[in-house]
Amino acid sequence: MRITGLTLLTMDPPGACVHGDLRIEGELITGIGDLAPDAGEHELDGRGLTAVPGFVQGHVHFCQTLFRGLADDLPLLKWLEQRIWPLEAAHTPASVRASAQLSVFELLSGGTTTVQVMESVHHAEESFAVAEESGLVTILGNCLMDRPDTKAPPALRQETGAAMALAAGLAERFDGRHGRMFYALSPRFILSCTDTLLREVARLAAARGLRIHTHCAEHKDEVAVVRAATGKGNLQALHDLGLLGPRTGLAHCVHLAEDERRLLRESGAAVLHCPSTNLKLGSGIAPVADYLARGIPVAIGADGAACNNRLDALTELRLAALLQKVSAGPEALPAIQALALATRDGARALGLDHLTGSLAPGKRADVNLFRLESPHLMPGGTPEARIVYAARPSDIAFTFLGGQVVAREGVCTALGASTVAEAARRELALLMQRAGSSR
Ligand SMILES: [Zn+2]
């Protein structure tokens, strides 16, 4: 296929803008610029459309999308203990599948084509199967929780050896699948895991070259509990257990002391910044402009629908940019840098930039074609400013995932809206019965 007459924000490097055509063959981009037509190729008139790479999200929980609206207005530890853990404990394979499909529908509708996902303790293989069917570029993990002395329900507490055996088996099955699915060892957070398990995670990750995905320093109360238990900050504790390195992604990092920020930079680990969640749980504003100035890799993420309540990359982009203006001044995180967090730099932070994140021959054809001429986006401003500060999912005329159109005008076409919604309603009703809750 050749899409003609486009404006292309290639993000290679950020700020590069090309006027011309885009050629897609199979899953890949094979040409950019003034391209002569090839006999027999399909042609799409792209005049008036702006191409940007498909969005990358570094931190999402498919299994929590079913709980949207069921855990509002709580701080982190209460949110987990009173709502999320009991609900996750009531999941079955069917409810996890319905939750994952709801997630995929929403992600594709908002132009997200790459996502790192942390699932619950059980039935993660259902989410992995939905991810496989969807065609999304994914890093997947089932969360590990082996601490016996937490407030987690018994159904979510694992024995250390069994947790590691389950993780190793899923890594064997899914890591590297189709060249676009990868496995991340995903200890939930320090307070859910024994030191024995965390050391085993570091050992297995090093032995098999696996990624590590966890939560870190999200809320002040959590940081205080970690310090009381270990005598250290979150990041120092993770470092001392061998968990930090260039293949590690740390969701949040809202509260890191100066010495921990230096340690983070030296380790090469990435921050997975989730601004909506940080605001909704009252956790604070992550110092992302400072992290970027230090050269720390950053990706953005919507986190869970139970603490956001959207999975829309444009919402996170806009909020990420605006929040840094509050904390670091109005010149911090300009539009093009924010857009890079959701494309090239986000892909780099996840170790996926060899596949996606920019528009270049040889990269996957994961592309959003924006229509940036609607009244709410015009008349002035750069394409990146229109996208980051003003655009809505409905401004994405086409989303291509691996060369296939999966959404139009901000609505997923790869899955049926009514089928996905009906399955979610049915499975939520059953889940609430199992959880013994009427909400
Ligand atoms: Zn999370």
Side-chain angles (χ1 to χ4, degrees), residues 260-312:
E260 290 187 297
R261 294 182 197 192
R262 282 204 297 269
L263 197 56
L264 177 57
R265 169 69 176 101
E266 286 163 21
S267 75
V271 171
L272 314 172
H273 176 45
C274 305
S276 291
T277 292
N278 295 158
L279 291 189
K280 187 153 181 281
L281 296 181
S283 301
I285 302 174
V288 167
D290 178 65
Y291 294 157
L292 292 170
R294 291 169 190 255
I296 294 166
V298 178
I300 57 143
D303 204 351
C307 57
N308 185 316
N309 297 0
R310 302 178 181 176
L311 300 181
D312 163 25

Side-chain angles (χ1 to χ4, degrees), residues 2 9 30 61 74-75 95 121 138 146 179 215 226 236 239 255-256 260 324-325 345 351 355 379 394 404 412 421:
R2 189 172 60 112
L9 297 186
T30 56
H61 303 266
L74 292 167
S95 62
V121 170
T138 40
D146 76 326
H215 296 96
V226 170
Q236 185 71 51
H239 171 266
H255 304 284
L256 293 186
E260 290 187 297
Q324 293 310 302
K325 322 263 180 219
D345 294 354
L355 292 176
S394 57
Q404 301 290 317
C412 173

